Amino acid sequence: MSIISSMTSSSKILSLVKRESFFDDSFFKDSWEDFDKAVQGILDKFDDTGLKVDTGSRSKCRDVYSRIRSSKIDEDLYASQALQITEKDGKFQAVMDVKDFNPSDLQVKVVDDRVVVEGKYEKKSEDGSSMSSKSFYKEFTMPPSADIDQVATALSKDGVLTVKAPKREGDVAARPAGALTSSSSTSSSSFSSSSHQSSSSSSTISSTKKVSMSSSSSSSFSSSALGMESLDDMAKDMKDRLVFSHENVNLKLPQ
């Protein structure tokens, strides 16, 4: 009985606060820089003109990013998505572009020590005869010092989602370096993926793809380790704790 109990997950759906446009709403001010970095990452990956995001070029850069996103999203749901994760002083923050996903299907929930973001992306064919649907799924493991009970989310009118978790009150910061790792960490880095595809005579095709990455035991998030790690190492550690999956469904619409 105790084994069964320990495997049971607790889940809570979070209220998604609707706000004004991302860069026009001061509520998001502490996330502006993070989103600029996220957009810069996509530009560096797909644009060869050397554009750099700053206050003056922000509008132009977002336009270029939007064109890249539109052209790449059908190839890979995640590769062209602006996403930035930061952890500082025990606090967690994620900002991501979810403009292409149906807001009515967008859901954020807490499952144990993780935050799960789910949604749906739908697109009609050019001739309007069929529709493509992909499910959106991202999972974040919170750092041990983050207060999972105080996770808050907000969605801007132009489709930028923020997820924040403050530092837990009374948390003891002084812990040995290397003592804190994500709940999915193992003694060595691991990478696993699985895919499934099936079709039927009704012209319905579905496929699922899941990729999970776990950080190695050397990845730590204690206050003493944060002072030693480079920003690149921190970014890699945080990206290693993401789980991506999506499902594609093509439906033949009635004539």
Side-chain angles (χ1 to χ4, degrees), residues 80-100:
S80 60
Q81 183 185 27
L83 167 66
Q84 182 73 20
I85 308 163
T86 58
E87 292 179 23
K88 185 177 181 180
D89 299 330
K91 295 180 287 186
F92 173 91
Q93 178 169 292
V95 59
M96 68 191 81
D97 175 24
V98 294
K99 181 176 70 67
D100 300 290

Side-chain angles (χ1 to χ4, degrees), residues 107-224:
Q107 184 181 86
V108 183
K109 59 185 177 181
V110 172
V111 181
D112 296 330
D113 63 343
R114 292 164 288 126
V115 170
V116 176
V117 184
E118 297 177 278
K120 183 181 291 185
Y121 166 68
E122 295 179 332
K123 184 179 180 180
K124 282 188 178 182
S125 61
E126 291 185 4
D127 61 6
S129 63
S130 63
M131 177 177 287
S132 173
S133 177
K134 298 180 182 181
S135 63
F136 162 70
Y137 181 97
K138 284 191 183 294
E139 181 177 293
F140 307 94
T141 300
M142 296 290 100
S145 56
D147 191 341
I148 198 72
D149 294 324
Q150 298 299 320
V151 175
T153 68
L155 177 65
S156 71
K157 188 164 61 176
D158 50 347
V160 180
L161 176 71
T162 60
V163 180
K164 299 180 182 181
K167 182 178 181 179
R168 188 170 53 247
E169 290 294 331
D171 184 71
V172 179
R175 298 180 185 179
L180 301 183
T181 60
S182 65
S183 59
S184 60
S185 65
T186 59
S187 58
S188 61
S189 299
S190 64
F191 176 92
S192 64
S193 65
S194 61
S195 62
H196 170 74
Q197 182 169 320
S198 63
S199 61
S200 65
S201 58
S202 62
S203 300
T204 300
I205 303 173
S206 66
S207 67
T208 61
K209 176 184 178 183
K210 186 171 183 180
V211 179
S212 64
M213 296 179 231
S214 60
S215 59
S216 67
S217 59
S218 63
S219 300
S220 63
F221 293 92
S222 66
S223 60
S224 55

